[in-house]
Structure formats: C-alpha cells, structure tokens
Amino acid sequence: MGAQLRAGAAVAAGGTLLVGGFAGLVPGRGGASSHREAPLISGQPQYDNTDVYAFVSPDKPDTTTLIANFLPFQEPAGGPNFYKFARDARYDINVDNDGDALPDLTYRFQFRDRLKDGNTFLYNTGPVTSLDDPDLNFTQTYDLTLIQRVKGRVHQAVKLAEHVPVAPSNVGKASMPGYAALRAQAVKPLPYGLKTFAGQADDSFFLDLRVFDLLYGADLKEVGNDTLRGYNVNTIALQVPSRFLTRNRDPVVAVNSTVQRRNAGGGYTQVSRLGSPLVNEVVIPLAQKDAFNASSPAHDARFAGFVADPELPKLIEKIYKIPAPPGPRGDLAQVFLTGVPGLTQPAHVRPAEMLRLNTAVKPAAEPNRLGVLGGDKAGFPNGRRLDDDVIDISLQAVEGELIGAKNDLGDAVDANDARFEKSFPYVAQPHSGSDARGTAGAKGGAAKLKAAKKKNGKAVTFLNAGAASDDASGDGGGSGTLGMLPVAALTGGAVFVLTGGLMWWRRKDRSRARPGA
C-alpha cells in the first residue's frame, strides 16, 4: 500500500494534498441508474451513468483505460441548452484491487460552468476553432482528484489536475467546423503516463432496445435496429499505467462508477451506480433498482439471488419455449459477481457486481466481438471493450452457453454506428447537430434531406421553407387553408378589427382611467 500511495503522490506532480475534510469525500446513501433503467434516475439524466468500460489500452498495453458515460439519449441538435455535466455532482470511477468490494482508488471528476455572455441565447456566437475561443459562449472545466482508501476509509486525496477544459457539445458544422480538433484539445496528458478526457461522444453502446417489447416483439422479428444510433452521451475517461491500479502482483482489478449529488444540507447522496452491463436493467427487479443504485458493492449479498436465479431465461422460456437452464446459476455468479476463476477472479473475493479486468491479458490482435465466448480472453467478461457485443454475450450466457447449452441468441446489432478511435479516449466522435436523425447513414443526413426535398419545384432552404405547400392556392405564404377562405369572411373579420375591436379597446382604456376602476 505504501508503494500505491507514493505512486499517487508522484502522479500529483506538485498538486495540492487535501489533508482535511475526508468525511466530505464519503457519499451518503440515496436512490436511483444505465439508460433510464431505474425509476429515480430516469428523471435525472445528468447523473445517469449509462455504461462503464475497462480494458487494457490496445496501443499502450502497459496502461489501462477506464471510461464512464452519462446523460443518455442526447439528440445532437438539442439546443439551445446543450449537454453539460452537473456542477453539483461528483462523478467517480472506483477501483478495488484486493477483492473486498471496497474502493481502494477513486478518480473523482467535479465540474464548473462559465457563461461569457448571458444576453444571448446562443451556446456559441460564431465558429469555434479552439476550446478557449471567445465565440464559445458556454464552457466547462473540471478538477480531477485521486482519493486513496484503506479498507474503504479515506486515507488521502491528491489533486491530479485543475481547470481542465471539457470538449463541448457538437452543435453543428457551421458552429464547429473542425470538431475533431476540439476533441483533441480536451485530451490532457498528466505526469507519469496518465491521460484524462471529459466531453461529448457518440453513445458507445450498440443494441436493439426492443428487448423491452416482450423480448423483441414476442416473435423474434424486432431485431437488427441499433436503437442508440445517432445519439450522444457525455464521457469521462482515464488512461492509467496498470501498475498504479494493481496490488501485490495480482493483476485483477474491479471497476465501477458512481455519481453523488449534492443535497440540501450540503452533503452528497449517491444517486447512480454502474459496473457490469445489463445487471440493473434486466437482472435487478423494479422494486429493488433504486436501492441497488444507492448501495455499495460490499453489500451486494442482498441482490445475489437475482443473479443466481434470474428472470430473463424464464421469460425466454415462456415466450419462445427455449428451456431455461436450472438454477442456482453459478456460471452467472462468476460472470457478474466473483469473476471467472483463472481469469478475472482475485485471490480473495467478496461477491459483488463490478466489472473485473485482468490487466495482464494483452490486447487481442484480432478482437472477437463475443469476447471470452468467442475465444478472445481480452474481451468481456474480462473487463469490457468498446466493441464487445455485450448483448449477444449476455443473452447466450443466460441461456447456458458457459454450462454446455450452446446457442446463438442475439439482437442482430453487431457493431457500433460510429467508428471508434484508435487512440485515447477511443470513444467515437459525437454526432453533429447538422446530422438529421432518421436519415440514411445519419452522417451528412441534413444535406441529403435538403437535396431530396422539393417545394414548388425548388429545393427547400431556410429562405423558402415557410412558403405554402404545392397544393395551396399560391398566395405566396401562410397556410393553404387561409387562401381558400371566402372573401366575405375575411372582410367581416377586417370590419371587426377596424370598428368593434377598436371600440372595445377604447372602452377598456377609459375604464382603466377612472379612479377605482
């Protein structure tokens, strides 16, 4: 542990050591988290942790990359208040390196807002070419703190970085003509080989969410549509030398992410929690979801029964007549609670829902989207890479793939809609507000839509889009209905405005002038 603390202090490179107020670093309990899966968090999207990823960095295999995404279903053109991290929250990535389900290291992101001009409705007042561009009207920065614990108790906190700029929302091509350059400016190298990033990104999760429509329509036909296509999220990411994360030569670490929100008393209450994918969505029942998100992994024994005897295979049997594997499901307990022996299970493990990663397994030269099920030990459930198809893996696992019940279940969505990057932070660039959702390919969709639409024989632009439609009377503006109204009706309306309406106003005005009126 002494080596861990010295490494953390060295990483700070002269940063401020927070020597007091450790009680304030520990959150209280609360309720509420992934893509709208728990009742309370569905109404608090800024605090909603949608996905967690942990993998050995493919281009720097001596490092580990940790990613947490928040604020789901971001419509790229959703202004004028675009998407920001909450300034009254603490976004944490937690690492347990001794198997006791208590965090030993916490990397904490806390955000600040800056509004340059409050007298405009615009997010940016001109083309933005850098993160410090005066035309970027709204900006965020964050501080990054490493909190080190012993048996769950805070030992010390070290400020790793201050006032780091956040990559903004991708408003559109006119506002941000070179968004990739803005993304690159938001990647901040830190001493001793660390890197950090915060900003908007394409939603890395790919799946068909119609699983909630009686498991793909009750007839297996509702598959093949990436429901998250074209949506963005907010991402925090870290790249850390793996030796700073592990302990006592055990290469296995467990990772999860939590969010605490400041309450009325000035303290913090945990409102979101996420580790392995799909546990809270399809394993934890509705009545327990908020309690699960408020709890610590160290107390997950109360939820273990839902993993050992899950509802999903029973529903599949009921709807599709595929026999559910008999319980108790020790195979699923290894995937989601203890880790797989010989791969991701630490020497002394307390069962807990966390994402477990063996940092000694090098990246695969040719990754298989099915991870361990596909013979690729560098993939899920050994951590989670961005391109791991966790839906197909989980569906096959719950139907008994690991205990000899071979199957090929899947949602027919096998890859993300946007290309992942080859270097940190690896997440795909966010979709631009210039891209119209619902058009083929999404990218460049607005231009395709504009070229395809015609009105009165002319291409539709901002300058003529309000003109009457082709079947209107040709009055040059307004609705076609107005053009077809009888002239007498229009004349009568005009008489009312010029006579009766004016007389009514004068009477109203005189009544206001009388004392006591």
Side-chain angles (χ1 to χ4, degrees):
M1 186 63 189
Q4 287 283 335
L5 298 180
R6 287 194 296 275
V11 167
T16 303
L17 177 63
L18 308 181
V19 294
F22 285 154
L25 298 174
V26 181
R29 296 190 59 181
S33 178
S34 177
H35 293 71
R36 295 177 52 80
E37 90 295 344
L40 287 179
I41 203 65
S42 64
Q44 305 175 60
Q46 277 185 304
Y47 315 89
D48 186 356
N49 193 328
T50 67
D51 287 285
V52 173
Y53 302 85
F55 52 90
V56 176
S57 308
D59 57 333
K60 290 190 174 182
D62 61 337
T63 70
T64 294
T65 294
L66 308 173
I67 297 173
N69 290 340
F70 305 88
L71 215 169
F73 295 109
Q74 294 180 18
E75 162 58 53
N81 295 301
F82 287 90
Y83 307 97
K84 70 186 190 77
F85 293 94
R87 63 182 180 181
D88 64 345
R90 303 192 299 201
Y91 297 86
D92 291 349
I93 296 179
N94 305 295
V95 178
D96 165 30
N97 55 26
D98 59 8
D100 64 358
L102 296 171
D104 298 295
L105 304 170
T106 293
Y107 294 92
R108 173 163 294 167
F109 294 71
Q110 291 183 276
F111 294 85
R112 295 187 180 93
D113 297 351
R114 183 191 176 195
L115 181 64
K116 295 184 178 75
D117 183 2
N119 294 319
T120 176
F121 66 87
L122 292 170
Y123 185 82
N124 58 289
T125 55
V128 176
T129 58
S130 66
L131 295 184
D132 58 0
D133 195 315
D135 287 328
L136 185 54
N137 191 37
F138 178 83
T139 59
Q140 284 196 299
T141 61
Y142 64 94
D143 293 348
L144 174 61
T145 303
L146 169 61
I147 301 168
Q148 297 167 314
R149 293 181 169 91
V150 177
K151 298 300 181 182
R153 295 181 177 274
V154 175
H155 180 77
Q156 69 175 8
V158 179
K159 188 68 67 69
L160 300 183
E162 294 182 287
H163 309 299
V164 184
V166 175
S169 295
N170 191 356
V171 174
K173 295 175 182 177
S175 292
M176 297 171 181
Y179 189 87
L182 299 178
R183 150 77 72 87
Q185 293 172 35
V187 175
K188 182 177 177 60
L190 300 176
Y192 297 90
L194 277 78
K195 289 183 180 179
T196 181
F197 168 82
Q200 193 180 49
D202 164 71
D203 193 332
S204 308
F205 199 12
F206 52 93
L207 79 165
D208 195 326
L209 276 172
R210 292 176 295 179
V211 63
F212 300 115
D213 182 17
L214 292 182
L215 300 182
Y216 303 110
D219 58 4
L220 289 177
K221 292 180 179 178
E222 290 188 4
V223 294
N225 176 58
D226 184 355
T227 318
L228 300 179
R229 180 187 185 96
Y231 286 115
N232 295 327
V233 292
N234 280 5
T235 293
I236 61 175
L238 281 170
Q239 190 170 78
V240 184
S242 299
R243 68 183 186 276
F244 291 164
L245 300 178
T246 59
R247 176 187 295 189
N248 297 333
R249 299 184 179 181
D250 188 341
V252 175
V253 296
V255 179
N256 80 343
S257 179
T258 54
V259 179
Q260 296 91 40
R261 186 177 186 180
R262 189 166 59 243
N263 56 40
Y268 284 84
T269 301
Q270 182 175 305
V271 296
S272 179
R273 165 191 168 187
L274 199 68
S276 291
L278 304 174
V279 172
N280 205 351
E281 291 93 328
V282 299
V283 176
I284 306 298
L286 274 172
Q288 299 291 326
K289 287 182 183 293
D290 291 332
F292 178 82
N293 282 284
S295 67
S296 164
H299 302 140
D300 278 354
R302 62 184 290 196
F303 304 110
F306 302 123
V307 176
D309 187 23
E311 179 185 14
L312 181 57
K314 298 176 183 178
L315 293 176
I316 292 175
E317 180 175 20
K318 182 177 180 180
I319 295 174
Y320 296 119
K321 312 306 179 186
I322 301 174
R329 297 295 302 278
D331 56 323
L332 297 184
Q334 291 179 1
V335 171
F336 295 112
L337 297 178
T338 66
V340 178
L343 182 62
T344 60
Q345 188 175 111
H348 305 285
V349 63
R350 175 188 292 175
E353 189 279 301
M354 300 185 78
L355 191 60
R356 300 186 186 274
L357 171 68
N358 187 332
T359 62
V361 177
K362 299 303 180 184
E366 297 182 6
N368 188 301
R369 68 179 181 87
L370 294 178
V372 174
L373 288 186
D376 180 359
K377 293 185 178 180
F380 182 77
N382 181 16
R384 181 185 179 186
R385 300 170 299 194
L386 292 168
D387 47 8
D388 283 338
D389 192 345
V390 295
I391 289 292
D392 286 12
I393 296 170
S394 298
L395 284 172
Q396 293 176 28
V398 298
E399 283 305 302
E401 183 78 20
L402 295 172
I403 52 177
K406 300 298 182 182
N407 66 89
D408 293 314
L409 293 181
D411 65 348
V413 180
D414 297 340
N416 194 44
D417 62 311
R419 178 179 57 84
F420 294 124
E421 299 288 311
K422 295 185 180 300
S423 60
F424 181 83
Y426 304 105
V427 290
Q429 298 281 347
H431 299 275
S432 165
S434 298
D435 300 330
R437 279 185 52 78
T439 58
K443 291 291 185 183
K448 295 175 184 177
L449 185 65
K450 183 175 71 174
K453 292 184 68 175
K454 297 283 186 179
K455 183 178 287 187
N456 295 327
K458 298 179 180 180
V460 175
T461 70
F462 179 74
L463 297 178
N464 65 14
S469 58
D470 291 340
D471 60 352
S473 63
D475 57 8
S479 70
T481 304
L482 179 61
M484 293 184 287
L485 286 175
V487 175
L490 291 175
T491 303
V495 171
F496 168 79
V497 171
L498 295 177
T499 58
L502 182 59
M503 291 172 63
W504 174 85
W505 178 259
R506 287 177 175 171
R507 287 197 300 269
K508 187 73 173 176
D509 191 59
R510 285 197 298 271
S511 69
R512 289 174 177 169
R514 292 195 301 270

